[in-house]
Amino acid sequence: MDLVNLTAVKNRLIESGLKATHQRIVLLKAMYLFDGHPSAENIFEAVSGDNPALSLSTVYRVLEDFEKAGLINKVATRKGIQRFDSNTNPHNHIYCTNTHDIYDFYDEELNELISDFFKKRSIRNFRITDIKLQVNGEKLNPDQKVLINNNHK
Amino acid sequence: MDLVNLTAVKNRLIESGLKATHQRIVLLKAMYLFDGHPSAENIFEAVSGDNPALSLSTVYRVLEDFEKAGLINKVATRKGIQRFDSNTNPHNHIYCTNTHDIYDFYDEELNELISDFFKKRSIRNFRITDIKLQVNGEKLNPDQKVLINNNHK
DNA sequence: TAGTAAATAGGAATAATTCCTAAATAAAAA
DNA sequence: TTTTTATTTAGGAATTATTCCTATTTACTA
């Protein structure tokens, strides 16, 4: 199934309790198509060519609405700027201090490790909604990809 | 040894290659004394009563300098606002979605679990400087503390 | 105690985000 | 269909957060 198919996007909006307005459809598509962890401004730039009447304040409001509806998440950043993530599956983040790029990484073993840990250690007076491992550091060669390696076969 | 002792603070600055100016001493002390993960504004408010001539731009610049010197760290936030952490020991963060409070938590076993994991899985083309587990969720009773529980004895 | 490089105050400039409200629009009702 | 109504949006103003600029001040060095 195609995430950015028109009716699929409409349905996602409606399932989440949001009216399928033109702007929301455009913006949710843009979130799915964006490769990375865009800011509101990034998304605005991505769509405003085709949608010249779209307002930046609408982008902010709609992304906020999407987040409240659980369609996307906010990503924590150290730079003090809001960024968003359309990937709502459990995964982790690698942060490059130099470029401020954020890379996703999945690792089933790691997810289990962490979830097992929190079976033993609960947090009193707190309801956990999401756990992310945040790996900070720096990309070495700017021309090469950052890749997680499996050395243990 | 007292972290906020005058000569101790001076020495820390000098060891980090920074001149021990009045403003830096005041601000580093304030960082050590602040309970939590303050913004630049928080620190400014905390010290400006006793230091009316201190400028907010100095606070921003000095906290940035402290971070570069490794005296403090920036904390990733989802709200899009810079916050700082004077605790440079390995520890993790619990984020309350409602109050935007951030709680530290230490767990030796968890730290080991994670460091063992990254002995097996390295990240190609990336130098890790720091790893943090970021636990998102909501504080249940606002009048009670958030505490990590050890159920496994 | 003077000289020099580094740091600061203070405010202006910029960037990021939110707020406001008249107009437009989607969904429901007629 | 058209009308109604509640929601949503555009657009810009307002606010908040952060950085930049530069004359002045300060900490160290000789």
Side-chain angles (χ1 to χ4, degrees):
Chain A
M1 53 198 150
D2 181 5
L3 266 183
V4 293
N5 166 284
L6 179 64
T7 45
V9 170
K10 276 191 181 176
N11 285 340
R12 290 202 156 216
L13 286 167
I14 290 160
E15 283 160 21
S16 307
L18 299 174
K19 272 191 198 172
T21 66
H22 177 65
Q23 291 86 336
R24 284 177 179 159
I25 292 164
V26 164
L27 291 171
L28 189 53
K29 269 193 183 180
M31 277 300 306
Y32 288 140
L33 289 170
F34 202 102
D35 182 26
H37 301 81
S39 64
E41 190 73 42
N42 290 153
I43 290 294
F44 179 69
E45 283 165 12
V47 302
S48 61
D50 289 341
N51 303 270
L54 183 79
S55 156
L56 180 57
S57 66
T58 300
V59 177
Y60 274 98
R61 185 176 23 74
V62 168
L63 292 181
E64 195 70 36
D65 292 346
F66 287 174
E67 211 245 346
K68 286 202 182 105
L71 285 165
I72 64 174
N73 288 123
K74 282 191 184 169
V75 185
T77 68
R78 286 174 300 173
K79 201 170 170 241
I81 174 177
Q82 291 185 179
R83 291 171 66 179
F84 299 87
D85 191 349
S86 63
N87 180 351
T88 54
N89 297 317
H91 67 284
N92 300 292
H93 284 147
I94 299 171
Y95 289 72
C96 176
T97 309
N98 298 330
T99 63
H100 296 110
D101 283 333
I102 300 170
Y103 308 100
D104 281 350
F105 82 93
Y106 303 83
D107 193 293
E108 204 36 62
E109 190 187 323
L110 178 60
N111 290 347
E112 262 178 49
L113 222 64
I114 293 169
S115 87
D116 285 351
F117 175 83
F118 280 99
K119 282 173 192 154
K120 293 187 299 188
R121 303 272 206 295
S122 64
I123 302 177
R124 207 183 300 177
N125 194 33
F126 195 81
R127 191 177 64 81
I128 298 176
T129 53
D130 170 55
I131 298 179
K132 281 214 166 350
L133 193 71
Q134 169 196 331
V135 180
N136 300 311
E138 48 187 5
K139 195 174 175 177
L140 298 175
N141 182 337
D143 302 325
Q144 275 172 21
K145 282 208 172 181
V146 168
L147 273 182
I148 188 141
N149 253 335
N150 184 334
N151 298 329
H152 77 137
K153 286 278 187 310
Chain B
M1 52 198 152
D2 182 4
L3 265 185
V4 293
N5 166 285
L6 179 64
T7 46
V9 170
K10 277 191 181 176
N11 285 340
R12 290 203 155 216
L13 286 167
I14 290 161
E15 283 160 21
S16 306
L18 299 174
K19 272 192 200 172
T21 67
H22 177 65
Q23 290 86 337
R24 283 178 179 159
I25 292 164
V26 163
L27 292 171
L28 190 53
K29 269 192 182 180
M31 278 301 306
Y32 288 141
L33 289 170
F34 201 102
D35 183 25
H37 301 81
S39 65
E41 190 72 42
N42 290 153
I43 289 294
F44 179 69
E45 282 166 14
V47 302
S48 62
D50 289 339
N51 302 269
L54 183 81
S55 155
L56 180 58
S57 67
T58 299
V59 176
Y60 274 98
R61 185 175 24 73
V62 167
L63 292 180
E64 195 71 35
D65 293 344
F66 287 174
E67 211 243 347
K68 286 201 182 105
L71 284 165
I72 65 174
N73 288 123
K74 282 190 185 169
V75 185
T77 68
R78 284 174 301 175
K79 202 172 170 238
I81 175 177
Q82 292 185 179
R83 289 171 69 178
F84 299 89
D85 191 350
S86 62
N87 181 352
T88 54
N89 298 317
H91 67 283
N92 299 292
H93 284 147
I94 299 171
Y95 288 73
C96 176
T97 309
N98 297 331
T99 64
H100 296 110
D101 283 332
I102 300 170
Y103 308 100
D104 282 349
F105 82 93
Y106 302 84
D107 192 294
E108 202 38 60
E109 190 187 322
L110 178 60
N111 290 346
E112 261 177 51
L113 222 62
I114 293 170
S115 88
D116 285 350
F117 175 83
F118 280 100
K119 282 173 193 155
K120 293 186 299 187
R121 302 272 206 295
S122 64
I123 302 176
R124 208 184 299 179
N125 194 33
F126 196 81
R127 191 177 64 81
I128 299 176
T129 53
D130 170 55
I131 298 178
K132 281 213 168 348
L133 193 71
Q134 171 195 331
V135 180
N136 300 312
E138 48 186 5
K139 193 174 175 175
L140 298 175
N141 182 336
D143 302 325
Q144 275 172 20
K145 283 208 171 182
V146 169
L147 273 182
I148 187 142
N149 256 334
N150 183 333
N151 298 329
H152 75 138
K153 283 280 185 311

